[in-house]
Structures are given as C-alpha cells and as structure tokens.
Amino acid sequence: MTDRTGPHPRRRVPGWGACDVCYAWGSPCGRLRSHGHPTATAEVTVKKVLTWLALAFVVFYVISAPESSAAFVRSAGQALGNAASSLASFFESLA
C-alpha cells in the first residue's frame, strides 16, 4: 500500500476498489473512487448560487432603500401578528 503524505488524512471509503481499501483521494489498488451523480452536484451548485444571489439582492435592497425595507418588515410583522391572533381566537373557540 502506498503512503500519501499531504494535508488530507486518509478517509476510508468501504466498498470501492478491488482491495476494498480506498480513500477519498483514490485507492492503493489504482482504481478511482466513484463520484456521485453529476446532476446532483450541479443542483447543489445552482442552489448555492441562487441562495447567495438572493441574499445579495436583499442586502442591496436594504442598503439602497432603507425606509421601504423597514416598511416592508413592519407590514410583514403586522401580518404575522394578525395571523397569530386569529389562530389563538380559533383555538379559544374550540375549547
């Protein structure tokens, strides 16, 4: 078995390779470790990019228009408060 010296510790991935001793960076038997489905990786990447873009848009909106941002948060808070009081009165009427 060859010894790899580097920043990554050996992480055993059972079931991969002819000798059943494979690591995240490869295997001593020379067979490469199988990677996940390529579209799954692409979906995760797209999800991350869209999340960061949405966060950047929110930050830009708050910086460029703080008064309207505050009004939006205030109205959203009032809507949540009204919904909570409506649910409370619904459950009171059940008892």
Side-chain angles (χ1 to χ4, degrees), residues 29-62:
C29 65
R31 295 180 73 189
L32 294 177
R33 185 173 66 96
S34 176
H35 296 290
H37 197 269
T39 58
T41 306
E43 288 174 2
V44 170
T45 304
V46 169
K47 186 185 290 187
K48 283 183 181 179
V49 168
L50 291 177
T51 301
W52 281 108
L53 284 175
L55 183 64
F57 176 73
V58 168
V59 169
F60 173 76
Y61 183 68
V62 168

Side-chain angles (χ1 to χ4, degrees), residues 12-93:
R12 190 158 191 266
V13 181
W16 295 103
C19 62
D20 198 33
V21 180
C22 295
Y23 302 97
W25 43 261
S27 71
C29 65
R31 295 180 73 189
L32 294 177
R33 185 173 66 96
S34 176
H35 296 290
H37 197 269
T39 58
T41 306
E43 288 174 2
V44 170
T45 304
V46 169
K47 186 185 290 187
K48 283 183 181 179
V49 168
L50 291 177
T51 301
W52 281 108
L53 284 175
L55 183 64
F57 176 73
V58 168
V59 169
F60 173 76
Y61 183 68
V62 168
I63 290 172
S64 64
E67 293 86 14
S68 60
S69 300
F72 174 75
V73 171
R74 196 175 307 115
S75 65
Q78 287 176 349
L80 288 174
N82 291 340
S85 64
S86 297
L87 281 174
S89 61
F90 169 73
F91 284 113
E92 282 179 5
S93 66

